[in-house]
Amino acid sequence: MNPAIVIPSYWAADDRIRAVGEVGTYDHATPVTKPTPELETCLESLEQVRGVLRVIVLLVAEPVCEETARIRVDSICRAHPNLNPVVVGTKEAACIEDVVHAIAPDVEGDPVALRGYGAIRNMGLAAAAVYGHDIVVFLDDDEVALDENFLIDAVYGLGNVNRQDIAIDAKSGFFIDREDSCFADESHPHWSDKYWAKRSEFNQWMRRAQEATRISRSNYVCGGCFALHANAFTQVAFDPYITRGEDMDYLITMRMHGREVWFDNTWHVRHLPPEIPSAASRFLQDVYRWTYEYEKVRFANTQPDFRVITRQSLEPYPAPWLSREVFDRIRKTSFRRALAEPEHMAYLRIWLHGRHEAERWAKEHAQAYLEFQTFWPRIMASLWEDEDIEERITATGAPAQLRKDRLDGRTEQR
């Protein structure tokens, strides 16, 4: 096995609250002025991990601070040469995007890019393919590995089959919080969230999974503790058109293709998230996410080439969010939050207009991913161990001192 750890790292010019719906708004953006960025803590935790062959950092930054963010990320990576880090920023990503555009010139948007959660994940898969890694382990930069066996647990079972002869090519672990809990906090349910019951539904599923055998069929994906074998990631792409929740969406897409994602109740990380700048902005992303997910599944279920996704197969979570019930939940929650939450005007706009705009957008884009997906195996085959692209990425993607050391090593070999 030849695993690579892929870490998306999001950066912003400052910690101001972004406008609701503002393009390029991410949950985990690090201000470039932050004294100790999350990425530094994450990489520090990986120093103890056995078997790290390469860490690929995907640098996602606002244009106004991209140069400064690159300097900071290069500096952080330079302090961890044992991790063999490579930074994929705008320049490195362009090498990969050229291949994608040549193969799929007419697909909508930028399906492999450093913009949008799903497209960013696809960029990580593409970069790993260039280096010939047969396993990709996703880790978020606001998470830390807890012991030296992180990678051993990550690859456990991957590439094998279970007793029913079903392939284990995609596997999720889970995260624990600062209190060592893997469950969502239900201690103070708010009146405004009565119909936004994701936490209780998720906890129902998680309790079952924790009591099951180590590897069991999953209804959940933790994107920051997620391992994919090449058997899966060269055939199935992330959906670049979903606003957030691209990790859970990957599970649904795998099911559409007759594949499964598995859950490992031993493999986990610690999640240390920064404070969310705007709850209303995240809620609007969720409105678009679940509305789009509903329309995407509804359309795919009419296509003869895809396995039908039933509500029963996804009980207790995320089944309710993939039925028409989700529209009632969005309507009631946006109205209640408009009355009770500090960002009441933002929620009122979502109730009046945002949810309807999300429905129109979802119907217009429900087929987009399935069209892009037809090109994905060919894209990955073209990128796999492409020595020219590898050399170009390595030449620019490694921090300065590491580039010099690698060049000196090649010279000595000659």
Side-chain angles (χ1 to χ4, degrees):
M1 291 185 175
N2 181 22
I5 298 175
V6 175
I7 306 174
S9 189
Y10 303 90
W11 293 75
D14 49 51
D15 57 0
R16 70 178 176 85
I17 297 177
R18 268 55 184 171
V20 175
E22 184 175 341
V23 175
T25 300
Y26 299 103
D27 292 343
H28 309 294
T30 301
V32 292
T33 56
K34 190 167 186 175
T36 305
E38 286 81 6
L39 180 63
E40 169 59 38
T41 306
C42 177
L43 294 187
E44 182 64 34
S45 76
L46 290 177
E47 288 283 1
Q48 66 175 324
V49 173
R50 293 188 290 172
V52 177
L53 301 176
R54 178 176 282 108
V55 172
I56 299 172
V57 178
L58 305 175
L59 172 57
V60 183
E62 297 176 331
V64 68
C65 70
E66 184 175 3
E67 184 176 350
T68 304
R70 182 58 187 251
I71 293 172
R72 292 220 65 186
V73 170
D74 278 351
S75 175
I76 292 169
C77 289
R78 194 162 51 244
H80 300 279
N82 294 334
L83 303 179
N84 195 19
V86 171
V87 181
V88 175
T90 301
K91 188 173 182 179
E92 295 78 20
C95 303
I96 292 172
E97 291 174 16
D98 288 344
V99 174
V100 176
H101 292 153
I103 294 174
D106 298 323
V107 298
E108 183 178 340
D110 298 307
V112 184
L114 293 176
R115 182 175 60 257
Y117 286 117
I120 291 166
R121 297 274 181 180
N122 286 337
M123 181 60 71
L125 298 179
V130 168
Y131 285 96
H133 292 285
D134 62 351
I135 290 178
V136 170
V137 178
F138 281 107
L139 180 68
D140 288 341
D141 67 356
D142 61 352
E143 295 174 336
V144 294
L146 296 175
D147 59 54
E148 63 179 9
N149 294 324
F150 170 76
L151 265 183
I152 294 174
D153 288 336
V155 303
Y156 177 83
L158 275 181
N160 297 323
V161 296
N162 69 356
R163 293 178 181 177
Q164 289 74 43
D165 204 34
I166 302 174
I168 303 174
D169 291 331
K171 190 185 75 169
S172 176
F174 60 98
F175 68 79
I176 59 174
D177 59 24
R178 289 179 171 85
E179 284 71 45
D180 293 335
S181 173
C182 64
F183 300 106
D185 184 11
E186 298 181 73
S187 57
H188 299 93
H190 197 277
W191 169 81
S192 61
D193 285 335
K194 177 181 178 180
Y195 298 100
W196 208 249
K198 288 192 296 182
R199 293 184 177 187
S200 61
E201 293 160 356
F202 165 78
N203 284 346
Q204 288 179 48
W205 182 85
M206 180 60 80
R207 290 187 184 96
R208 296 180 189 175
Q210 291 293 339
E211 295 170 358
T213 58
R214 173 168 179 175
I215 305 294
S216 61
R217 183 172 175 270
S218 189
N219 276 13
Y220 159 75
V221 171
C222 172
C225 191
F226 190 37
L228 290 170
H229 193 280
N231 293 339
F233 74 73
T234 60
Q235 301 302 308
V236 181
F238 284 88
D239 188 336
Y241 307 109
I242 197 163
T243 52
R244 56 180 282 112
E246 78 291 346
D247 44 6
M248 279 291 294
D249 176 82
Y250 194 82
L251 179 148
I252 293 166
T253 303
M254 286 279 281
R255 295 245 181 118
M256 289 178 181
H257 286 84
R259 297 166 175 259
E260 292 291 346
V261 173
W262 301 87
F263 182 74
D264 184 336
N265 63 18
T266 296
W267 181 39
H268 62 282
V269 295
R270 188 181 302 281
H271 191 204
L272 303 171
E275 186 176 351
I276 300 171
S278 170
S281 180
R282 172 180 278 196
F283 178 75
L284 181 59
Q285 287 180 331
D286 274 337
V287 169
Y288 272 81
R289 166 197 180 179
W290 292 116
T291 303
Y292 171 77
E293 199 78 85
Y294 168 81
E295 292 292 346
K296 173 181 169 181
V297 170
R298 188 179 68 85
F299 172 76
N301 280 350
T302 67
Q303 304 303 301
D305 295 336
F306 294 97
R307 188 171 74 179
V308 173
I309 305 296
T310 66
R311 173 169 178 153
Q312 291 74 18
S313 68
L314 293 168
E315 290 285 3
Y317 178 81
W321 303 86
L322 298 176
S323 69
R324 288 208 59 82
E325 178 185 334
V326 73
F327 298 107
D328 195 48
R329 291 187 176 203
I330 290 169
R331 177 178 60 83
K332 291 179 178 178
T333 302
S334 57
F335 183 75
R336 285 178 168 236
R337 288 191 179 185
L339 298 176
E341 299 296 324
E343 297 177 84
H344 59 272
M345 288 304 298
Y347 287 113
L348 182 61
R349 285 192 291 270
I350 294 171
W351 181 72
L352 289 172
H353 308 292
R355 60 194 178 97
H356 303 298
E357 293 167 359
E359 289 181 38
R360 286 193 292 270
W361 186 89
K363 290 177 181 177
E364 292 172 1
H365 294 82
Q367 303 179 37
Y369 169 75
L370 301 182
E371 294 171 357
F372 160 63
Q373 168 60 31
T374 61
F375 294 99
W376 183 250
R378 185 178 163 198
I379 290 170
M380 294 302 279
S382 297
L383 290 170
W384 192 266
E385 294 187 329
D386 186 308
E387 293 181 357
D388 178 58
I389 297 179
E390 177 186 344
E391 186 171 339
R392 290 162 65 189
I393 292 177
T394 303
T396 57
Q401 186 58 46
L402 295 183
R403 287 200 298 271
K404 181 179 183 301
D405 292 344
R406 290 170 185 171
L407 180 60
D408 291 345
R410 290 179 185 175
T411 304
E412 290 176 4
Q413 290 175 4
R414 292 173 186 165

